[in-house]
Amino acid sequence: MNGQQFQDEVQYFNCQMGEVIEQKMQRCSNEIIHDALSYIQDTGGKRLRPILCLLSAEAVGGSREKAMTTAIAIELLHNASLVHDDIIDDNYVRRKSPSNPAMYGEKKAIVIGDFLFGISCEMLAKCGVPEVVGLVSSAVSDIAMGEYLEFSLRTLQETTEQSYLEVATLKTASTFMASAEAGAMLGGGSEAEIDNFRNYGKNVGIAFQIQDDILDICGDPAKTGKPVGLDIKNGERTILVIHALNHSERSEREYISEIMTGKRELDSFDIDRMRELFIKAGSIDYALQLSNKLVMGAKSSIAGLKESEAKSKLQYITDLTAERIKNQVLDVIIQSANHLYTH
Ligand code: FPP
Ligand code: MG
């Protein structure tokens, strides 16, 4: 698989989901339908989860058609959770466009999230397999648990790498796990294959969250669609913050704590300084290595499957998630090294 083939997959899925959206729009005239559905159509997204679901079904010898309504359900669920997340995080930009709350205000955004979640349930019911309905539904409660757990880790001391991984598994990886597992189930995979796909989804999902943390500070806003340093501004305890707190000098630790607990008014120099501290403590390197280990774990989970086009596409997707950050990170480290050298 190459980049173009991945784009073809995205386009194929978007067409299928587009038809469902069009039908829904034709059947009802309520304004929310237009606002919610045109939002998810227009702003796009990587569509990684539904593509994993379709390819997992194919990789165990089934057809992608059987997994389509579940793939759409999971994409709608993911979008519903992002609409609510953008309210919680006061996030005004998503996928290079105004976020849903920025477009419609918070009250409407709450209801738009609920509405998308409702159509997601409608689509999921169409898969006709109670076990799949069960596993995707438990991903919904896992997402909520992950988000809630993140709120309750109030102090920096409470946030360890272990608690971070727990949040990442629940909040982010749960939808990747449900996608891959449901796909394998709908494709008629054996119990062992279904387990392997769940493990694949878990590894890809956590790696994806770690990569997102790295991109927040090293990413190019033109590519990520988000302003730099949003996690820092929101006091999010990313893997970089956790690592840097354990690998920096005392004065630096105090500075990071002040930033992360909102004791200090932030300016753009603080984001640059935090990036330099992450580099100095080796936190970006550490996070990259951790994400690469997970990517390898994902690959080995499905290594035993019979060779197929779907399998090689799934292997490619794990590389693609890692690839998206490599160049951006390198640029930032070089710039930062030059800055440290000249000051
Ligand atoms: C993004 O995290 C947020 C999520 C993946 C899940 C958000 C979950 C909820 C709001 C609760 C449950 C809602 C439903 C409908 C089940 P992030 O803020 O780290 O990532 P970002 O940088 O993309 O915003
Ligand atoms: Mg967010």
Side-chain angles (χ1 to χ4, degrees):
M1 193 189 200
N2 55 32
Q4 183 54 50
Q5 282 172 315
F6 180 71
Q7 280 312 316
D8 293 345
E9 289 286 346
V10 174
Q11 217 170 356
Y12 169 77
F13 173 75
N14 279 343
C15 281
Q16 302 290 316
M17 189 168 76
E19 272 177 34
V20 171
I21 290 176
E22 288 295 323
Q23 279 170 16
K24 189 90 196 165
M25 280 174 159
Q26 275 165 15
R27 281 204 304 272
C28 323
S29 58
N30 189 307
E31 196 186 334
I32 190 170
I33 311 248
H34 178 267
D35 290 351
L37 297 180
S38 59
Y39 181 77
I40 64 162
Q41 255 180 331
D42 294 347
T43 54
K46 291 177 276 299
R47 313 296 194 209
L48 279 174
R49 294 160 183 83
I51 290 171
L52 287 192
C53 185
L54 302 179
L55 292 175
S56 303
E58 280 183 344
V60 295
S63 77
R64 58 171 59 202
E65 284 70 29
K66 271 208 167 153
M68 186 51 81
T69 55
T70 306
I72 295 175
I74 294 174
E75 182 61 18
L76 289 166
L77 162 65
H78 170 59
N79 280 275
S81 75
L82 290 184
V83 170
H84 284 181
D85 181 67
D86 283 338
I87 303 169
I88 294 167
D89 288 350
D90 289 324
N91 186 22
Y92 300 105
V93 182
R94 162 87 54 197
R95 298 171 181 159
K96 303 180 192 167
S97 304
S99 69
N100 194 291
M103 293 254 280
Y104 303 110
E106 288 192 358
K107 286 183 185 173
K108 280 190 172 176
I110 292 171
V111 184
I112 285 174
D114 294 340
F115 174 79
L116 289 174
F117 182 44
I119 326 179
S120 161
C121 296
E122 225 179 280
M123 292 307 292
L124 181 60
K126 290 189 185 173
C127 82
V129 180
E131 287 88 343
V132 169
V133 175
L135 80 90
V136 178
S137 304
S138 67
V140 180
S141 48
D142 282 351
I143 304 173
M145 280 199 281
E147 188 82 355
Y148 211 79
L149 181 61
E150 208 171 26
F151 294 157
S152 46
L153 297 168
R154 270 180 253 279
T155 65
L156 282 174
Q157 288 72 24
E158 274 175 304
T159 321
T160 59
E161 187 168 314
Q162 197 192 343
S163 66
Y164 169 88
L165 291 174
E166 201 181 335
V167 170
T169 306
L170 290 166
K171 192 182 82 167
T172 311
S174 60
T175 41
F176 285 90
M177 286 152 91
S179 299
E181 188 179 1
M185 215 179 252
L186 290 161
S190 66
E191 241 170 73
E193 283 173 334
I194 294 168
D195 269 359
N196 289 338
F197 270 97
R198 187 164 179 81
N199 201 30
Y200 169 89
K202 183 175 178 179
N203 280 287
V204 174
I206 303 175
F208 191 79
Q209 181 61 58
I210 293 172
Q211 292 156 6
D212 228 43
D213 290 358
I214 302 172
L215 281 176
D216 180 70
I217 196 84
C218 295
D220 172 358
K223 292 184 185 147
T224 62
K226 291 189 266 194
V228 180
L230 204 62
D231 286 346
I232 309 278
K233 285 181 196 141
N234 287 336
E236 295 224 15
R237 286 88 202 266
T238 66
I239 191 76
L240 303 176
V241 171
I242 297 166
H243 183 274
L245 280 171
N246 288 319
H247 297 85
S248 301
E249 289 160 19
R250 191 175 167 177
S251 61
E252 295 166 342
R253 285 203 303 272
E254 280 168 6
Y255 171 79
I256 297 173
S257 300
E258 276 178 24
I259 296 275
M260 299 315 292
T261 51
K263 286 197 187 118
R264 199 185 169 102
E265 189 92 351
L266 270 186
D267 60 33
S268 64
F269 294 113
D270 287 314
I271 304 287
D272 290 342
R273 173 121 176 85
M274 284 291 283
R275 186 185 303 109
E276 277 164 18
L277 290 179
F278 289 149
I279 293 170
K280 186 169 173 234
S283 311
I284 296 180
D285 249 7
Y286 176 76
L288 277 173
Q289 277 172 31
L290 191 54
S291 119
N292 286 342
K293 244 189 255 167
L294 289 157
V295 163
M296 283 186 322
K299 282 187 170 178
S300 71
S301 304
I302 56 165
L305 277 178
K306 211 171 94 203
E307 293 309 316
S308 67
E309 208 182 314
K311 178 182 169 182
S312 71
K313 285 180 179 176
L314 284 165
Q315 305 281 32
Y316 173 82
I317 287 175
T318 57
D319 287 333
L320 190 76
T321 59
E323 241 358 273
R324 79 186 169 125
I325 56 172
K326 250 190 225 149
N327 296 339
Q328 296 182 54
V329 170
L330 205 60
D331 282 353
V332 163
I333 291 179
I334 292 167
Q335 273 167 27
S336 199
N338 286 342
H339 181 252
L340 283 171
Y341 183 70
T342 50
H343 285 79

Coordinates of all heavy atoms in Angstrom, one line a residue, residues 114-166:
D114 N -24.5 14.8 21.0 CA -25.5 13.8 21.4 C -26.2 13.2 20.1 O -26.5 12.0 20.0 CB -26.6 14.4 22.3 CG -26.1 14.8 23.6 OD1 -25.0 14.3 24.0 OD2 -26.7 15.6 24.3
F115 N -26.5 14.1 19.2 CA -27.2 13.7 18.0 C -26.3 12.8 17.1 O -26.8 11.7 16.7 CB -27.5 15.0 17.2 CG -28.1 14.7 15.8 CD1 -29.5 14.3 15.7 CD2 -27.3 14.8 14.7 CE1 -30.0 14.1 14.4 CE2 -27.9 14.6 13.4 CZ -29.2 14.2 13.3
L116 N -25.0 13.1 17.0 CA -24.1 12.2 16.3 C -24.0 10.9 16.9 O -24.0 9.8 16.3 CB -22.7 12.9 16.2 CG -22.6 14.1 15.3 CD1 -21.2 14.7 15.4 CD2 -22.9 13.7 13.8
F117 N -24.0 10.9 18.3 CA -23.9 9.7 19.0 C -25.2 8.8 18.8 O -25.1 7.6 18.6 CB -23.8 10.0 20.5 CG -23.7 8.8 21.4 CD1 -22.8 7.7 21.0 CD2 -24.4 8.7 22.6 CE1 -22.7 6.6 21.8 CE2 -24.3 7.6 23.4 CZ -23.4 6.5 23.0
G118 N -26.3 9.5 18.7 CA -27.6 8.8 18.4 C -27.6 8.1 17.0 O -28.0 7.0 16.9
I119 N -27.0 8.8 16.0 CA -27.0 8.2 14.6 C -26.0 7.0 14.7 O -26.1 6.1 14.0 CB -26.6 9.1 13.5 CG1 -27.1 10.5 13.7 CG2 -27.2 8.6 12.2 CD1 -26.7 11.4 12.5
S120 N -24.9 7.2 15.5 CA -24.0 6.2 15.6 C -24.7 4.9 16.1 O -24.5 3.8 15.6 CB -22.8 6.6 16.5 OG -22.1 5.5 17.0
C121 N -25.5 5.0 17.1 CA -26.2 3.9 17.7 C -27.1 3.2 16.6 O -27.2 2.0 16.5 CB -27.1 4.3 18.9 SG -26.1 4.9 20.3
E122 N -27.8 4.1 15.9 CA -28.7 3.7 14.8 C -27.9 2.8 13.8 O -28.4 1.7 13.4 CB -29.2 4.9 14.0 CG -30.7 4.9 13.7 CD -31.0 6.3 13.0 OE1 -31.1 7.3 13.7 OE2 -31.1 6.2 11.8
M123 N -26.7 3.3 13.4 CA -25.9 2.5 12.4 C -25.4 1.2 13.0 O -25.4 0.2 12.4 CB -24.7 3.3 12.0 CG -25.0 4.5 11.1 SD -26.1 4.2 9.7 CE -25.0 3.2 8.7
L124 N -25.0 1.3 14.3 CA -24.5 0.1 14.9 C -25.5 -1.0 15.0 O -25.2 -2.2 14.8 CB -24.0 0.5 16.4 CG -23.3 -0.6 17.2 CD1 -22.1 -1.2 16.5 CD2 -22.9 -0.1 18.6
A125 N -26.8 -0.6 15.3 CA -27.8 -1.6 15.4 C -28.0 -2.4 14.1 O -28.4 -3.6 14.1 CB -29.1 -1.0 15.8
K126 N -27.6 -1.8 13.0 CA -27.8 -2.4 11.7 C -26.8 -3.6 11.4 O -26.9 -4.3 10.5 CB -27.6 -1.4 10.5 CG -28.8 -0.5 10.5 CD -28.7 0.4 9.3 CE -29.9 1.4 9.4 NZ -30.1 2.4 8.6
C127 N -25.7 -3.7 12.3 CA -24.7 -4.7 12.0 C -25.3 -6.1 12.3 O -24.8 -7.1 11.7 CB -23.4 -4.5 12.8 SG -23.5 -5.1 14.5
G128 N -26.3 -6.2 13.1 CA -27.0 -7.4 13.3 C -26.3 -8.5 14.2 O -26.8 -9.6 14.2
V129 N -25.2 -8.1 14.8 CA -24.5 -9.1 15.6 C -24.4 -8.5 17.0 O -23.7 -7.6 17.3 CB -23.0 -9.3 15.0 CG1 -22.2 -10.3 15.9 CG2 -23.1 -9.8 13.6
P130 N -25.1 -9.1 18.0 CA -25.2 -8.6 19.3 C -23.8 -8.4 20.0 O -23.6 -7.4 20.7 CB -26.0 -9.6 20.1 CG -26.8 -10.3 19.1 CD -26.0 -10.3 17.8
E131 N -22.9 -9.3 19.7 CA -21.5 -9.2 20.3 C -20.8 -8.0 19.8 O -20.1 -7.3 20.6 CB -20.6 -10.4 20.0 CG -21.0 -11.7 20.6 CD -22.0 -12.5 19.8 OE1 -22.7 -11.9 18.9 OE2 -22.1 -13.7 20.1
V132 N -21.1 -7.6 18.6 CA -20.4 -6.4 18.1 C -21.1 -5.2 18.7 O -20.4 -4.2 19.1 CB -20.5 -6.3 16.5 CG1 -20.1 -5.0 16.0 CG2 -19.6 -7.4 15.9
V133 N -22.4 -5.2 18.8 CA -23.1 -4.1 19.5 C -22.5 -3.9 20.9 O -22.2 -2.8 21.4 CB -24.6 -4.3 19.5 CG1 -25.3 -3.2 20.3 CG2 -25.2 -4.4 18.1
G134 N -22.3 -5.1 21.6 CA -21.8 -5.0 22.9 C -20.4 -4.5 23.0 O -20.1 -3.6 23.9
L135 N -19.6 -4.9 22.1 CA -18.2 -4.4 22.3 C -18.0 -3.0 21.9 O -17.2 -2.2 22.5 CB -17.2 -5.4 21.5 CG -16.9 -5.3 20.0 CD1 -15.8 -4.3 19.7 CD2 -16.6 -6.7 19.5
V136 N -18.8 -2.5 20.9 CA -18.7 -1.1 20.5 C -19.3 -0.2 21.7 O -18.8 0.8 22.0 CB -19.3 -0.7 19.1 CG1 -19.2 0.7 18.8 CG2 -18.6 -1.5 18.0
S137 N -20.4 -0.7 22.2 CA -21.0 0.0 23.3 C -20.1 0.1 24.5 O -20.1 1.1 25.2 CB -22.3 -0.7 23.8 OG -23.2 -0.8 22.7
S138 N -19.3 -0.9 24.8 CA -18.4 -0.8 25.9 C -17.3 0.1 25.6 O -16.7 0.7 26.5 CB -18.0 -2.1 26.5 OG -17.2 -2.8 25.6
A139 N -17.0 0.3 24.3 CA -16.0 1.3 24.0 C -16.5 2.7 24.4 O -15.7 3.6 24.8 CB -15.6 1.3 22.5
V140 N -17.8 2.9 24.2 CA -18.4 4.2 24.6 C -18.2 4.5 26.0 O -17.7 5.6 26.4 CB -19.9 4.3 24.2 CG1 -20.5 5.6 24.6 CG2 -20.2 3.9 22.8
S141 N -18.5 3.5 26.9 CA -18.3 3.8 28.3 C -16.8 3.9 28.6 O -16.4 4.7 29.5 CB -19.0 2.8 29.2 OG -18.7 1.5 28.8
D142 N -15.9 3.2 27.9 CA -14.5 3.3 28.1 C -14.0 4.8 27.8 O -13.2 5.3 28.6 CB -13.7 2.4 27.3 CG -13.8 0.9 27.8 OD1 -14.2 0.8 29.0 OD2 -13.3 0.0 27.1
I143 N -14.5 5.3 26.7 CA -14.1 6.7 26.3 C -14.4 7.6 27.5 O -13.6 8.5 27.9 CB -14.8 7.2 25.1 CG1 -14.6 6.3 23.9 CG2 -14.3 8.6 24.7 CD1 -15.4 6.7 22.6
A144 N -15.7 7.5 28.0 CA -16.1 8.4 29.0 C -15.3 8.2 30.3 O -14.9 9.2 30.9 CB -17.6 8.2 29.3
M145 N -15.0 6.9 30.6 CA -14.2 6.7 31.8 C -12.8 7.3 31.6 O -12.2 7.8 32.6 CB -14.0 5.1 32.0 CG -15.3 4.6 32.7 SD -14.9 3.0 33.4 CE -14.9 1.9 32.0
G146 N -12.2 7.2 30.4 CA -10.9 7.7 30.2 C -10.9 9.2 30.4 O -10.0 9.8 31.0
E147 N -11.9 9.9 29.8 CA -12.0 11.4 29.9 C -12.1 11.7 31.4 O -11.5 12.7 31.9 CB -13.2 11.8 29.1 CG -13.3 13.3 28.9 CD -12.4 13.9 27.8 OE1 -11.6 13.2 27.2 OE2 -12.5 15.1 27.6
Y148 N -13.0 11.0 32.1 CA -13.2 11.3 33.5 C -12.0 11.1 34.4 O -11.7 11.8 35.3 CB -14.4 10.4 34.0 CG -15.2 11.1 35.1 CD1 -16.2 12.0 34.8 CD2 -15.1 10.7 36.4 CE1 -16.9 12.7 35.7 CE2 -15.8 11.3 37.4 CZ -16.8 12.3 37.1 OH -17.5 12.9 38.0
L149 N -11.3 10.0 34.1 CA -10.1 9.7 34.9 C -9.1 10.8 34.7 O -8.4 11.2 35.6 CB -9.5 8.3 34.4 CG -8.2 7.8 35.0 CD1 -8.5 7.6 36.5 CD2 -7.8 6.5 34.4
E150 N -9.0 11.3 33.5 CA -8.1 12.4 33.2 C -8.4 13.6 34.1 O -7.5 14.3 34.7 CB -8.2 12.8 31.8 CG -6.9 13.4 31.3 CD -6.9 13.6 29.8 OE1 -8.0 13.8 29.1 OE2 -5.8 13.6 29.2
F151 N -9.7 13.9 34.3 CA -10.1 15.0 35.2 C -9.7 14.8 36.6 O -9.3 15.7 37.3 CB -11.7 15.1 35.3 CG -12.4 15.5 34.1 CD1 -13.7 15.2 33.9 CD2 -11.8 16.2 33.0 CE1 -14.4 15.5 32.8 CE2 -12.5 16.6 31.9 CZ -13.8 16.2 31.8
S152 N -9.8 13.5 37.0 CA -9.6 13.2 38.5 C -8.1 13.1 38.9 O -7.8 13.1 40.0 CB -10.4 12.0 38.9 OG -10.2 10.9 38.0
L153 N -7.3 13.0 37.9 CA -5.8 13.1 38.2 C -5.4 14.5 38.4 O -5.0 15.2 37.5 CB -5.0 12.4 37.1 CG -5.3 11.0 36.8 CD1 -4.6 10.5 35.5 CD2 -4.8 10.1 37.9
R154 N -5.7 15.0 39.6 CA -5.6 16.5 39.8 C -4.2 17.0 40.0 O -3.8 18.0 39.4 CB -6.4 16.9 41.1 CG -7.8 17.2 40.7 CD -8.6 17.6 42.0 NE -9.5 16.6 42.4 CZ -10.7 16.4 41.9 NH1 -11.1 17.3 41.0 NH2 -11.5 15.5 42.3
T155 N -3.4 16.2 40.7 CA -2.0 16.8 40.9 C -1.0 16.1 40.0 O -1.3 15.0 39.4 CB -1.6 16.5 42.4 OG1 -1.5 15.0 42.5 CG2 -2.5 17.0 43.4
L156 N 0.1 16.8 39.8 CA 1.1 16.3 38.9 C 1.7 15.0 39.4 O 2.0 14.1 38.7 CB 2.2 17.3 38.7 CG 1.9 18.5 37.7 CD1 3.0 19.5 37.7 CD2 1.7 18.0 36.3
Q157 N 1.7 14.9 40.8 CA 2.3 13.7 41.4 C 1.4 12.5 41.1 O 1.9 11.4 41.0 CB 2.4 13.9 42.9 CG 3.5 14.8 43.4 CD 3.1 16.3 43.1 OE1 2.0 16.6 43.0 NE2 4.2 17.1 43.0
E158 N 0.1 12.7 41.0 CA -0.8 11.6 40.7 C -0.6 11.1 39.3 O -1.1 10.0 39.0 CB -2.3 12.1 40.9 CG -2.8 12.0 42.3 CD -4.2 12.6 42.4 OE1 -4.3 13.8 42.0 OE2 -5.1 11.9 42.8
T159 N -0.1 11.9 38.4 CA 0.0 11.5 37.0 C 1.3 10.8 36.8 O 2.4 11.4 36.8 CB -0.1 12.7 36.1 OG1 -1.1 13.5 36.6 CG2 -0.5 12.3 34.7
T160 N 1.2 9.5 36.6 CA 2.4 8.7 36.3 C 2.3 8.1 34.9 O 1.3 8.3 34.3 CB 2.5 7.5 37.3 OG1 1.3 6.7 37.1 CG2 2.6 8.0 38.7
E161 N 3.4 7.5 34.5 CA 3.3 6.9 33.1 C 2.2 5.8 33.1 O 1.5 5.7 32.1 CB 4.6 6.3 32.7 CG 4.6 5.8 31.3 CD 6.0 5.5 30.7 OE1 6.9 6.2 30.9 OE2 6.1 4.4 30.1
Q162 N 2.0 5.2 34.2 CA 1.0 4.1 34.3 C -0.4 4.7 34.2 O -1.3 4.2 33.4 CB 1.1 3.4 35.6 CG 0.4 2.1 35.6 CD 0.3 1.5 37.0 OE1 1.0 1.9 37.9 NE2 -0.6 0.5 37.2
S163 N -0.7 5.8 34.9 CA -2.0 6.4 34.8 C -2.2 7.0 33.4 O -3.3 7.0 32.9 CB -2.2 7.5 35.9 OG -1.4 8.6 35.7
Y164 N -1.1 7.6 32.8 CA -1.2 8.1 31.5 C -1.6 7.0 30.5 O -2.5 7.2 29.7 CB 0.2 8.7 31.0 CG 0.2 9.0 29.6 CD1 -0.2 10.3 29.1 CD2 0.7 8.1 28.6 CE1 -0.1 10.6 27.7 CE2 0.7 8.4 27.3 CZ 0.3 9.6 26.8 OH 0.4 9.9 25.5
L165 N -1.0 5.8 30.6 CA -1.3 4.7 29.7 C -2.7 4.2 29.9 O -3.4 3.9 29.0 CB -0.3 3.6 29.9 CG 1.1 3.9 29.4 CD1 2.1 2.8 29.7 CD2 1.1 4.2 27.9
E166 N -3.2 4.3 31.2 CA -4.6 3.9 31.4 C -5.6 4.9 30.7 O -6.5 4.4 30.1 CB -4.8 3.9 33.0 CG -5.9 3.0 33.4 CD -6.2 3.1 34.9 OE1 -5.2 3.4 35.7 OE2 -7.3 2.8 35.3

